[in-house]
Amino acid sequence: MRAAIGTVGLAIYAAFVLLVTLTPTPVDSGLRGSIDKVLDKLHAHGLPAWFQYPQLEFTSNIAFFVPIGFFLALLLPWRAWWLCILIGPVFSGALEFAQGAFLPDRFSSVGDVIANSIGSLVGSIAAFALRSVVEARDRRVIPAAAAAAVR
């Protein structure tokens, strides 16, 4: 079940990421004024003044890639955990390269690769933590249930 969820989730979310990142115009095209207004309102309600559009974009890129790492870590076996550290940055780097090479209105950035890589790593850690909890529960519950069924 874990591998199936990982496979389907990764396929669907990776397709979504490709759609968002490889469209000819930036996702926030024409929205900068609205985004700045929202940030101004948030600053008035306690968001620190240093948190501006570049910080929002960096944070958004982290959040954007968390599901990639999560689904990837569900899909891969324990012994291949190290692939999570590589696949997220490689996927992000390929997307940034494609943006820079083929989409003149898009901007490729090492900062985006770093943020996406952090997000992928956070997602992987969350999935491995979840897997650990579920497997510990299963090691405890399944033998008890099997013993109770025999009685």
Side-chain angles (χ1 to χ4, degrees), residues 1-68:
M1 179 67 110
R2 170 192 54 78
I5 292 169
T7 301
V8 171
L10 186 61
I12 291 169
Y13 196 75
F16 172 70
V17 169
L18 289 169
L19 177 68
V20 169
T21 58
L22 298 179
T23 56
T25 57
V27 175
D28 59 355
S29 180
L31 298 174
R32 184 64 188 264
S34 298
I35 293 169
D36 288 338
K37 286 179 185 177
V38 170
L39 283 172
D40 288 343
K41 288 192 186 290
L42 291 172
H43 290 134
H45 288 87
L47 184 69
W50 59 263
F51 192 89
Q52 297 293 328
Y53 183 80
Q55 290 76 25
L56 176 64
E57 183 181 23
F58 189 81
T59 304
S60 297
N61 279 330
I62 291 172
F64 189 51
F65 259 64
V66 167
I68 292 289

Side-chain angles (χ1 to χ4, degrees), residues 34-147:
S34 298
I35 293 169
D36 288 338
K37 286 179 185 177
V38 170
L39 283 172
D40 288 343
K41 288 192 186 290
L42 291 172
H43 290 134
H45 288 87
L47 184 69
W50 59 263
F51 192 89
Q52 297 293 328
Y53 183 80
Q55 290 76 25
L56 176 64
E57 183 181 23
F58 189 81
T59 304
S60 297
N61 279 330
I62 291 172
F64 189 51
F65 259 64
V66 167
I68 292 289
F70 186 84
F71 289 127
L72 185 61
L74 286 183
L75 175 62
L76 293 173
W78 280 111
R79 67 185 176 281
W81 65 267
W82 57 273
L83 286 171
C84 291
I85 296 171
L86 296 177
I87 293 173
V90 168
F91 183 49
S92 176
L95 292 172
E96 291 297 317
F97 173 79
Q99 285 180 342
F102 305 113
L103 302 170
D105 291 337
R106 299 296 296 252
F107 306 98
S108 59
S109 150
V110 172
D112 286 354
V113 174
I114 292 169
N116 295 342
S117 299
I118 292 168
S120 178
L121 183 59
V122 167
S124 296
I125 291 168
F128 282 127
L130 177 64
R131 286 177 66 179
S132 294
V133 168
V134 168
E135 288 179 17
R137 182 213 55 198
D138 288 352
R139 281 192 299 273
R140 189 180 71 250
V141 172
I142 291 173

